[in-house]
Every structure is written in structure tokens, then in C-alpha cells.
Amino acid sequence: MDPPPQRRLAAPLLLLLLLIAASSPAARAWKKDEFRNCNQTPFCKRARTRAPHSLDAPLSLAAGSLSVSPDGSISAELSHPSRPRPLVLRLSALPPHALRLQIDEDYSTATPPHRRFHVPDVLLPDLEARTLHLPEPKSAGGVSTVALSSDLDVVVKHDPFELTVRRAGSGDPVLSFNSHGLFDFEPLRESKPEDETWEEHFRSHTDKRPRGPQSITFDVSFYGADFVYGLPEHGSTSLALRPTRGPGVEESEPYRLFNLDVFEYLHESPFGLYGSIPFMIGHGARASSGFFWLNAAEMQIDVLAPGWDGSTTPENGRIDTLWMAEAGVIDAFFFVGSEPKDVVKQYVSVTGTPAMPQQFATAYHQCRWNYRDEADVDGVDAGFDEHDIPYDVLWLDIEHTDGKRYFTWDHSAFPNPEEMQRKIADKGRKMVTIVDPHIKRDSSFHLHQEATEKGYYVKDANGNDYDGWCWPGSSSYPDMLNPEIREWWADKFSYESYKGSTPTLYIWNDMNEPSVFNGPEVTMPRDALHYGDVEHRELHNAYGYYFHMATADGLLKRGEGKDRPFVLSRAFFAGTQRYGAVWTGDNSADWDHLKSSIPMVLTLGLTGLPFSGADVGGFFGNPEPDLLVRWYQVGAFYPFFRGHAHHDTKRREPWLFGERRTAIIREAIHVRYSLLPYFYTLFREASVSGIPVMRPLWLEFPDDKETYNNGEAFMVGSSLLAQGIYEEGQKSVSVYLPGKESWYDLRNGSPYKGSMSHKLQVLEDSIPSFQRGGTIVPRKDRFRRSSTQMVIALNSSNAAEGELYVDDGKSYDYQQGAFIHRRFVFADSKLTSLNIAPDNLGKKKFTSDCVVERIIILGLRSGAKKAIIEPGNREVEIESGPVSLRSGSSPVAPTIRRPNVRIADDWTIRIA
């Protein structure tokens, strides 16, 4: 029955008022009781109550005999008399020595109404083709052994089932699965027993759970590990994952992986945030290993403190972990490496190497919710020029649209979007606009009309288009699991569809967890339905990944496959690195959030996402000027460098805090721009190997235990080390410099010994930052010139090495050989430039007239005054010069001025 006319008018007003209240900053700040903890999450609560080595029937699965399949994998049956159907186990190997473990129900014996969900389009498509043939197992005494590689074995204990990866020679274990007997795989039911209740309730929400309990639990142990790392995303000032259960643990809550829209998140909490990557790395002096579980359902992971199992003599150098997921299957990978970089490389060999960004994306970005109109945009753009502060990208948040309808413009505030973009582009700059997944349910909005007619929305539990609340009000969400819908979405970024867009406009995906203001835990209900009759609970953590994928594909199609996309996403999952950048979400303007940004960004890099950063200055709140300055100084080293702020905050463009602070912020941004050739070279390395741009110290110094839980200092590549100032009014700071070689202060070239901590005076105009002895770093101090320079930091052998990678900065021509890749080697008083680009990539070439303008040599003890350049036998002078060409720098280091050798050529410069 329809409501009377008065109520038909009043209802939308009431809903609008409720939405405004729910979306206001005060109402949406993080509140603990709005989100479930483990005790409120039945599968987690059940799993945590089980004791190790329990004899409970579900936990004592036995493995049948192992058999080699025609594809080279090994299979077996896991069974117990109490189960309605057995499980099928499959083992396969990937080069060089990764093990894949797959376990699902055997649907050939008794078929349930639904099958478990296998996450598609995350693993690389050639993975099966790269699978190695495993040899016949050797069985004796209830144990089977399979050679994984020349130095690793896989050992399967049959009853109860247990799996161990161990060293072939010594027999030392590296990783184990179910060594504590906690493996449980709740079977799918044919129907609900009359005496069971499957529904779950949280606050005012009910999850009907029509398919019943289907969780999976198991334990994984890391041997030879001092610490474990990974599992983004959560706020923490600790780089290593702290124990969540066991002796000495006060607050016992697991690390939660469940993508959520969390306003003003806690800087120190295992609570899940915007993205989830179920990948953990174990590292110690004796071993480096990794474990990755491909599962997009909610996960809870315990890191167990020594003695958690009641043992009075816990095994030294072993870390036990408990993995719990609400649904899905087991599709897990065990990685073993001689060093931690090997583990990272193996992970990206499975999920993909990071996309190579356009060069502009590695520079500074300026953002605010929201720049009001075209005049505001013009004023901000002009302000950077007036204050001599470089920037490359200006961003527009949701208010630029027509009533939160994405792919549109507010024509009163932005009447000429193409002209606005052209004026920015004429200065070599780009723009970014926001496109979120919630589509306004407005019958006059063409995008909503089309999605409705085509049946492209996610359905609710009753099969109707799901209707939730987000920024536009009543909204629906495209079902991005469906490849057809992703293709449709990609087409919306064409110039014909996205009116007012230009080739210099790029995209920002926010709220793609997906965020639903009136949903349970501010997200989509778990019993919503997707393509293939998949419940949302099964793919929740991958929804934003598919949305990011479709958006990146849209920009790729828009540019006819020639232009590298730039898409920033808030939600992420394993494989996101193939599609763009991420950031750490809605942080706050306080010192703790500045400090926690370092472990958060480092963890993202370790788990395959090198292109990440935190909002400089904090999204919420008004940073005190000194905090903003310190954040810019740290942010200049983030891989993704963006200033951003909430619309309720005061304006904070870099020149609004007085001349002195403007100068310091200018200098911080200049530091980033001077290092852009180095950063771009590092992004190239990441795109090939997966090794992150910003790195924990132990990734470069894996044998140095002093580095294992250092979350305050970080490496940028293998050559630079920096440490932020994380406390207000701090007067001194202790900086640990690892390794045996000297380090050189980036400001003035002063040397510091390695393998020790140095107490340094805190300076207002910089943070502690150093170049490692034995390295060569390319720089560009004169931003408007095509010339470059390099800083050589000599080691104790008077030697150094470094690289420079250059391409056109925007296209995919580099995939066909159109790039310059040089290695610079200084030894025996000679600097040599060597071509290290392979000659079999394609026929395209890239040329550059860029020359080396200055060469600074730190640590050179010779009093040489001249250098000889070959070929040509040309003589140039060596004189004392500053480490930086920027104002205020004093001559401190031997400098070869104007050698003017081309970066693309082979040459040698010999110190005479």
C-alpha cells in the first residue's frame, strides 16, 4: 500500500537527514562497537577455542596415498568417517622452489547445492603452464616424501594429515601446515538441520547465511624466523607483526583481513582497514620464507606467542600462526628463499609484477576534498608557480560531479572542464578525478538506467538489485566479478562516454571496499549475490580489486593501449599491483599517524604493492605547522607522494604557513624532484622483479638483527636511508646505520660509520637521510633542464655502482626495447657507463640528448684536479662543489663539472 502524499514527500527528506548525519565527520569517526571483533564473529570464535592436537573428529583428517597426475601434480584424498564427503588435495610446484597446496571438497561423491568459490583473475594466467612435474613420492612408515627442488623436500604425514617443507640435506623444517593439528574444513551442507540456527546477528543487521557454516582453519609454522611481517592493512607503529595470542599478550584480537571503510582509524590496532593481502613473510638469520593464501573471504590471523600451546620449552626460532577464513577453499603457496628478496620475487611471480607507472605519477600530487571550482583550481595551480614549488598533478574529489553522479561535472562550478584541463596540461601537468563504485539510483541518470536494464548490479539475498546508501544517497553497485560488466565499465572512460575528459585526466577509485553507509560494518551484506551465484562473503576482499582492474582497463582502452593508466585505489587485494597505486586511507593529522605510516607503506611494499603512500599532513584534522613540515619531509620519500585533506579542515597548500615553513616544505618537495631519476629507476626495478621502492632495512641487510623490527628508518632502493622525526619538539634522534660501509649525509656529504647507532641533533630543515657507501645515485637538481647529475658515494674499496633507467615516461614502447638502461661503475679511479639493456626486446628505440652535468664524488681521498673523458681524450676540471645546487649549499666534495657525456652512450671518465 502506498503512503499518503504527505508521507511520500516526507520520507525522502527523512532519509536525506539520516544520510547527512551518518556521513558527517563526527558521526563517521571510528567507533569500536560498529565493527565486529573475534568473539562476535562465530567462525573466529569457534576456531580460537580449539586446542592444539585435538582429537575432535573434524580435525583428524587422514591423507590417502599420493599419486602423480598427468599434469605433474600430486593428488590425494583427505577423509574422516564423520564427513559427508572427502576433500581433494593437490600439490604442485612452481620454479624455482614454490609449493602450491589446493584443497577443496570432492563434489563427485555427493554434490551440495552450491560449490565453494575459487577466486578468479588474481593469479597470472600462465601459472599452470609454468607448473613443474613432481617426481614419484617415496613412502615409508606413514610418511611420504617428494623432492620439491634440488635442496627442498615436501614431507606429508598421512594420519593425521600434516605437511612440511624442509631442507633436503639437513632435514631442517622451513614451513609446516597443520603441525599443531588445528586444520578444520567445515563441510557444505545439503540442507539446514532443524535443530541448527544459521543466521548471524550484529547490531541491527541479520545475515541469513542460507548456505550454512563453511569456514576453514589451519596452522602454519615458520621455522628459523625471528619475526613475521605482512598482512596489510592495519595501523601499527611496529613493522613486525606482534603476537596476538599467548603468554604476555594483553589484548587478544587477531589480525583481521576484511576490507572496510574506516574513518580516522586507530594508528595501533590489528583491526582490518581498506585492503587485504593474505601474505606473510617469515625472516631470521637462518631462513626467509613466505605463505600466501588466495582467499577473498574474511580472514582472521593469529600470530601466536611462544608457549601459546602450553609448552614450557617452546622451540626457539619458530613462529606459529593460526589462519581462519569464513568461506572459500585452500589455494595456498609456500615460498622459500635464500634471502627475503627471493620470497618477494616468488610472490609476484604468482600474482604479477607491479605496473610501470607514468613518470608524472612518481612526482608530487596536490589534492583536497574539494577544490571548489575552476577559479580555485587556477589559483592553486598558480600558487605553486608563484612560490617555486613543483607539482605534477591536481586532484578533484566528489564535489566536482553533478550531484555525486560519476562521469559528470557540476556545470556551475566546472563549466569548462576540458579548457581547465588544457590549461593545466599546457604546463606539463595532469588532473585526476574521482570515480567510486556506488551509482546514484536516479532514473534520469543514464549510467543507472543502463546498469538496471542490463541487470548489471549486485543483487540482494532476494535477487533484487541491492540498494545501499553512500555519498549520492540511494545507490547500487556494479557486479565487478562479472567480466562482461567489467568490460562495460571500462567503456565508460572513453571520451565519448566521459564527457569533459581529456587525455591528461586520470582516475581515483575511492570507497571501493565497497563502502555502504547503512550496511553491516559500513559494507555490503555478506548474503548479497554476485555473478555465478557467488555470495558476497566469498569475494568481499576482492571487490575493490575487480573495480580497480576495470577502471585501469578503461584508461588503457581510452588510450588505445598506448598510454599507461594511472588509477589510485583505496581498496586492494593480491594482484592489485598490476593495476596501479594505493594509499593508506583516511588517516589523521597527528604524530602517531605520521609514525605508523612508515610500517604501513613498508608492509604494502613487501606484499607486492610498491606504489603506495599516506596522505601528507593527515586527511582528518588540522596539522600543527611543525607536524605538516615533518610529514612533507618524510612524504618526499614515499613512493606515492600526495598532500590531501578533508573539506572541514583549514586550507593547507604548502605556502600558507609562513615564509620559513614554506621554504622548508619547498625544500622537501625539491628533494623529491631531485631524486626523480632514481625513483623512476626503482619503479622499473619493481616492475621487473617486484622488489619494492621503499624497503625495510632488513631487506637490504638480511643478516643484521638490529634491523629486523626497525619501523622508523627505511631504505629507498638499495642506496638511500632515511628516518623521520615523529615527535613534537624532538631535540635529538638515534639513527642506526647498518652494514660495514660508511654512509654519507645527503645534505652535506659528511661520513658516518656503519653497523652502529648515531645520536644526531634534530634539524628543522631536514630529516636524517644518507647515501650508502658503494652506491651511485642519479639526480636532477635543475628541474627545468634536460641535464642530470650523479652522486658517487665510495665504499672502503673506493668503488661504487648504480643504475639509471630512462624511457618516454608514458607509453608501452619500453616493452619493445625503447628505453635506456645504464650501469655506472666506479673502480680503479675510473667511472664507466655500461649498457645493460637487453637487445632482444623489440625493434623500437629510445634516444635522449640528456647529458651528465655534474658528478659529485663523496669519500674520494685523492687531491686530483683533472679527469680524462674517453672517447675523445677530453680533459675536464675537478673542483670542490656542493652536494646540492640548491641555495645554501656549501662546497664540500670533489666535483667533475660539465663532463657533458650523454646518458645514452658508453664512456669512461678517469680521475687523472
Side-chain angles (χ1 to χ4, degrees):
M1 180 177 177
D2 288 338
Q6 295 91 338
R7 291 192 64 187
R8 284 205 302 267
L9 291 173
L13 176 61
L14 174 62
L15 289 172
L16 179 61
L17 291 173
L18 287 173
L19 177 65
I20 292 172
S23 61
S24 69
R28 296 207 57 217
W30 193 85
K31 296 178 181 178
K32 186 176 182 179
D33 61 354
E34 291 184 354
F35 301 96
R36 301 203 304 184
N37 59 34
C38 182
N39 282 333
Q40 296 168 316
T41 307
F43 80 87
C44 183
K45 184 177 181 179
R46 289 196 304 273
R48 275 185 140 197
T49 61
R50 299 181 185 120
H53 303 292
S54 170
L55 298 179
D56 292 349
L59 302 181
S60 54
L61 288 161
S65 59
L66 305 184
S67 60
V68 179
S69 304
D71 63 1
S73 64
I74 287 178
S75 60
E77 185 179 272
L78 297 175
S79 62
H80 189 278
S82 68
R83 294 188 63 87
R85 69 191 69 81
L87 301 175
V88 177
L89 172 150
R90 180 177 184 258
L91 295 174
S92 53
L94 293 163
H97 32 238
L99 175 70
R100 185 180 188 183
L101 169 66
Q102 295 168 278
I103 301 177
D104 195 359
E105 303 201 41
D106 185 353
Y107 302 108
S108 67
T109 56
T111 305
H114 304 278
R115 294 196 174 199
R116 289 176 176 268
F117 178 61
H118 293 244
V119 184
D121 304 317
V122 170
L123 303 179
L124 292 179
D126 68 341
L127 201 63
E128 289 294 337
R130 289 189 278 127
T131 298
L132 302 174
H133 277 251
L134 288 169
E136 284 284 347
K138 298 178 180 179
S139 300
V143 173
S144 296
T145 304
V146 182
L148 179 60
S149 65
S150 60
D151 57 351
L152 291 172
D153 289 334
V154 179
V155 179
V156 175
K157 180 182 175 184
H158 288 262
D159 190 8
F161 167 65
E162 179 183 340
L163 181 148
T164 303
V165 179
R166 72 180 188 189
R167 306 284 180 193
S170 65
D172 292 338
V174 182
L175 289 160
S176 68
F177 178 96
N178 199 36
S179 59
H180 295 279
L182 293 173
F183 178 33
D184 186 21
F185 202 106
E186 291 185 311
L188 293 175
R189 310 286 187 89
E190 302 285 343
S191 60
K192 183 174 75 68
E194 292 184 4
D195 60 342
E196 285 190 24
T197 299
W198 284 358
E199 286 187 353
E200 292 181 1
H201 304 275
F202 179 69
R203 293 168 66 87
S204 62
H205 301 280
T206 298
D207 176 6
K208 295 181 179 179
R209 287 210 311 165
R211 301 175 189 181
Q214 50 186 298
S215 69
I216 302 171
T217 304
F218 53 78
D219 58 272
V220 174
S221 295
F222 296 78
Y223 297 82
D226 294 337
F227 294 98
V228 288
Y229 312 87
L231 302 183
E233 183 177 39
H234 57 274
S236 179
T237 57
S238 172
L239 177 59
L241 294 169
R242 295 188 176 107
T244 57
R245 228 175 97 199
V249 177
E250 294 181 5
E251 294 188 19
S252 182
E253 195 67 29
Y255 291 100
R256 189 185 190 195
L257 296 185
F258 191 64
N259 294 4
L260 291 170
D261 175 5
V262 186
F263 266 44
E264 296 183 277
Y265 56 83
L266 299 179
H267 75 277
E268 197 75 77
S269 171
F271 186 82
L273 297 179
Y274 311 95
S276 300
I277 300 181
F279 176 41
M280 183 182 287
I281 296 174
H283 178 66
R286 294 189 289 122
S288 294
S289 58
F291 178 78
F292 166 53
W293 184 9
L294 177 58
N295 189 326
E298 178 184 357
M299 280 192 202
Q300 303 265 6
I301 299 103
D302 269 321
V303 176
L304 302 166
W308 69 275
D309 55 355
S311 171
T312 56
T313 56
E315 184 175 336
N316 188 31
R318 188 193 77 208
I319 297 178
D320 300 323
T321 60
L322 179 66
W323 298 65
M324 304 161 274
E326 183 182 13
V329 297
I330 293 178
D331 192 354
F333 295 81
F334 300 79
F335 306 118
V336 180
S338 59
E339 63 174 9
K341 286 183 180 179
D342 294 337
V343 176
V344 175
K345 289 177 182 178
Q346 289 180 61
Y347 170 73
V348 298
S349 76
V350 168
T351 60
T353 52
M356 182 66 185
Q358 288 205 41
Q359 194 160 25
F360 79 81
T362 67
Y364 176 63
H365 302 243
Q366 182 66 30
C367 184
R368 179 175 178 82
W369 178 22
N370 203 85
Y371 288 118
R372 298 182 299 270
D373 50 31
E374 291 179 2
D376 197 7
V377 167
D378 288 344
V380 172
D381 179 64
F384 277 91
D385 293 332
E386 291 168 8
H387 295 89
D388 189 29
I389 300 175
Y391 91 105
D392 271 53
V393 193
L394 192 67
W395 294 53
L396 295 179
D397 211 316
I398 54 177
E399 310 303 335
H400 83 277
T401 62
D402 177 13
K404 312 299 189 299
R405 300 169 181 86
Y406 299 108
F407 303 101
T408 68
W409 302 84
D410 179 342
H411 289 296
S412 62
F414 299 94
N416 302 297
E418 292 181 60
E419 175 65 14
M420 174 181 64
Q421 293 164 63
R422 186 194 63 76
K423 288 194 291 186
I424 294 282
D426 285 347
K427 298 179 180 181
R429 294 166 179 158
K430 322 291 181 186
M431 292 198 76
V432 167
T433 52
I434 196 167
V435 176
D436 292 348
H438 43 262
I439 296 177
K440 185 179 179 71
R441 293 184 60 84
D442 176 353
S443 60
S444 65
F445 183 26
H446 67 91
L447 195 63
H448 172 63
Q449 286 180 329
E450 189 176 347
T452 302
E453 291 169 3
K454 292 178 178 289
Y456 279 176
Y457 285 136
V458 175
K459 309 302 179 187
D460 63 21
N462 298 316
N464 303 312
D465 287 350
Y466 175 69
D467 184 349
W469 284 81
C470 207
W471 295 127
S474 178
S475 304
S476 289
Y477 298 73
D479 184 0
M480 290 299 173
L481 178 62
N482 189 336
E484 177 185 321
I485 297 174
R486 294 201 299 265
E487 189 77 12
W488 167 79
W489 183 259
D491 289 337
K492 301 307 167 190
F493 292 91
S494 69
Y495 302 122
E496 295 75 20
S497 292
Y498 191 174
K499 303 294 185 184
S501 65
T502 71
T504 58
L505 184 70
Y506 296 89
I507 301 299
W508 172 16
N509 289 161
D510 196 4
M511 315 295 286
N512 54 334
E513 293 75 28
S515 176
V516 183
F517 293 163
N518 64 334
E521 301 190 272
V522 201
T523 192
M524 190 174 284
R526 296 167 192 248
D527 54 7
L529 294 172
H530 292 261
Y531 172 68
D533 200 30
V534 175
E535 283 193 301
H536 186 72
R537 79 181 74 250
E538 301 175 274
L539 66 81
H540 171 79
N541 286 344
Y543 180 87
Y545 164 78
Y546 294 122
F547 185 72
H548 193 188
M549 176 197 296
T551 303
D553 286 346
L555 292 191
L556 192 62
K557 291 177 71 173
R558 181 190 78 174
E560 300 178 341
K562 299 174 183 177
D563 188 52
R564 298 177 221 163
F566 173 76
V567 182
L568 179 76
S569 175
R570 188 170 72 176
F572 56 82
F573 188 64
T576 287
Q577 66 269 15
R578 305 204 300 269
Y579 300 105
V582 301
W583 89 106
T584 62
D586 297 342
N587 58 358
S588 299
D590 62 54
W591 290 91
D592 287 333
H593 273 257
L594 168 60
K595 186 176 182 179
S596 67
S597 73
I598 302 303
M600 292 178 75
V601 173
L602 290 175
T603 298
L604 288 167
L606 286 172
T607 53
L609 281 168
F611 201 3
S612 68
D615 283 342
V616 170
F619 177 65
F620 285 104
N622 296 303
E624 54 199 86
D626 289 347
L627 171 60
L628 183 65
V629 165
R630 292 305 187 194
W631 215 317
Y632 267 102
Q633 291 169 338
V634 169
F637 294 101
Y638 291 155
F640 175 61
F641 183 24
R642 181 183 76 157
H644 185 37
H646 190 276
H647 63 64
D648 286 343
T649 65
K650 297 175 183 177
R651 293 293 287 256
R652 62 167 87 146
E653 283 72 41
W655 53 86
L656 297 178
F657 297 88
E659 291 185 12
R660 174 60 182 160
R661 292 191 179 98
T662 297
I664 298 173
I665 294 173
R666 178 191 300 116
E667 172 63 16
I669 297 175
H670 278 188
V671 165
R672 174 51 166 253
Y673 274 76
S674 72
L675 291 171
L676 283 181
Y678 180 63
F679 269 92
Y680 198 64
T681 301
L682 293 175
F683 274 106
R684 166 64 175 180
E685 180 185 2
S687 74
V688 173
S689 69
I691 303 302
V693 173
M694 184 170 154
R695 309 169 185 176
L697 272 57
W698 56 262
L699 200 64
E700 290 299 324
F701 301 91
D703 298 326
D704 189 339
K705 291 191 174 186
E706 292 294 322
T707 68
Y708 288 178
N709 197 21
N710 187 333
E712 296 187 3
F714 54 90
M715 300 289 295
V716 177
S718 60
S719 303
L720 302 181
L721 182 152
Q723 181 167 319
I725 301 301
Y726 307 116
E727 296 178 14
E728 183 179 8
Q730 194 170 347
K731 302 299 183 183
S732 64
V733 61
S734 178
V735 179
Y736 178 74
L737 299 176
K740 298 178 181 179
E741 300 296 341
S742 294
W743 294 79
Y744 298 87
D745 191 307
L746 283 189
R747 296 176 307 111
N748 54 32
S750 298
Y752 291 83
K753 290 183 179 180
S755 293
M756 63 180 297
S757 294
H758 298 268
K759 186 176 181 180
L760 305 174
Q761 179 185 356
V762 169
L763 303 175
E764 180 186 24
D765 59 0
S766 65
I767 59 173
S769 48
F770 305 87
Q771 183 172 339
R772 180 181 178 181
T775 65
I776 299 176
V777 173
R779 287 202 331 218
K780 191 180 185 71
D781 279 7
R782 303 182 194 267
F783 311 137
R784 295 175 182 84
R785 292 191 182 184
S786 62
S787 59
T788 189
Q789 66 183 54
M790 62 181 66
V791 179
I792 302 173
L794 298 180
N795 61 17
S796 56
S797 301
N798 286 323
E801 288 191 12
E803 293 184 11
L804 173 65
Y805 173 84
V806 182
D807 60 25
D808 66 14
K810 57 184 180 181
S811 79
Y812 287 98
D813 286 355
Y814 70 92
Q815 295 179 342
Q816 301 177 55
F819 62 85
I820 296 167
H821 196 182
R822 311 296 298 186
R823 174 170 293 134
F824 305 112
V825 178
F826 188 94
D828 300 324
S829 298
K830 289 190 303 183
L831 175 63
T832 304
S833 174
L834 304 167
N835 178 30
I836 56 173
D839 55 10
N840 59 349
L841 286 180
K843 297 181 179 179
K844 290 193 175 182
K845 302 295 179 185
F846 175 74
T847 60
S848 173
D849 292 326
C850 178
V851 298
V852 179
E853 181 185 24
R854 298 168 72 242
I855 299 171
I856 302 157
I857 309 175
L858 302 176
L860 183 65
R861 291 185 287 271
S862 146
K865 299 296 184 183
K866 297 184 182 302
I868 306 299
I869 299 175
E870 298 289 354
N873 195 31
R874 181 162 55 91
E875 187 177 281
V876 291
E877 294 183 352
I878 300 176
E879 58 186 47
S880 183
V883 174
S884 169
L885 289 180
R886 296 186 295 280
S887 61
S889 300
S890 303
V892 293
T895 303
I896 302 173
R897 297 186 64 243
R898 298 191 183 90
N900 293 335
V901 287
R902 289 180 6 124
I903 62 169
D905 294 343
D906 293 341
W907 41 259
T908 296
I909 300 177
R910 178 170 54 85
I911 305 296

